[in-house]
Amino acid sequence: REAGPQVDLPTYAILRGASSNFGHMLFEMLVPLIILITQAETIPRVHGERLLFFLDDCDPESIYNTVPAMPKKRKKTSRKNCDRISDALTKIISDHPWLDKESAR
């Protein structure tokens, strides 16, 4: 199997948490991610030069939205709302569009 294109950017893989709730996603995903970025990136970079890959897929039946990945099953996850919140929060720390398993196909 051929290797896909390589990415020459710091890449972070993370769960979104409550992916249909802006406040929960802010504190469950963005705040820990900012802490991780500040600890991992020792070389100062141009703002936004990083890529985010979300391990969950905004599907309430997904393995990533059930125990043990999520402490509480997310039944109200909506792809449209999840995408909207992901777009808004990702723009704070990255100039590149985010990826998840569905968008990376």
Side-chain angles (χ1 to χ4, degrees):
R1 182 172 156 162
E2 284 188 38
Q6 289 188 326
V7 177
D8 191 25
L9 295 171
T11 303
Y12 298 90
I14 193 165
L15 288 167
R16 280 178 264 228
S19 52
S20 288
N21 183 304
F22 188 88
H24 283 271
M25 221 165 132
L26 178 69
F27 288 104
E28 293 173 8
M29 182 273 294
L30 190 65
V31 171
L33 185 58
I34 288 172
I35 293 168
L36 177 64
I37 288 168
T38 58
Q39 292 176 345
E41 294 181 11
T42 56
I43 300 170
R45 295 188 170 275
V46 175
H47 171 76
E49 286 301 311
R50 61 186 63 89
L51 185 63
L52 297 180
F53 184 87
F54 293 117
L55 297 169
D56 56 335
D57 54 10
C58 297
D59 176 358
E61 299 304 317
S62 167
I63 181 176
Y64 300 110
N65 288 319
T66 59
V67 176
M70 287 289 125
K72 180 179 171 187
K73 187 169 181 172
R74 309 294 182 190
K75 295 180 182 173
K76 296 181 181 178
T77 301
S78 133
R79 181 73 197 194
K80 181 180 175 185
N81 199 33
C82 183
D83 285 351
R84 183 180 59 80
I85 296 170
S86 298
D87 288 343
L89 293 178
T90 299
K91 288 177 185 174
I92 295 170
I93 56 173
S94 178
D95 293 336
H96 303 280
W98 54 269
L99 297 170
D100 64 8
K101 74 175 194 171
E102 189 168 308
S103 63
R105 293 180 191 204

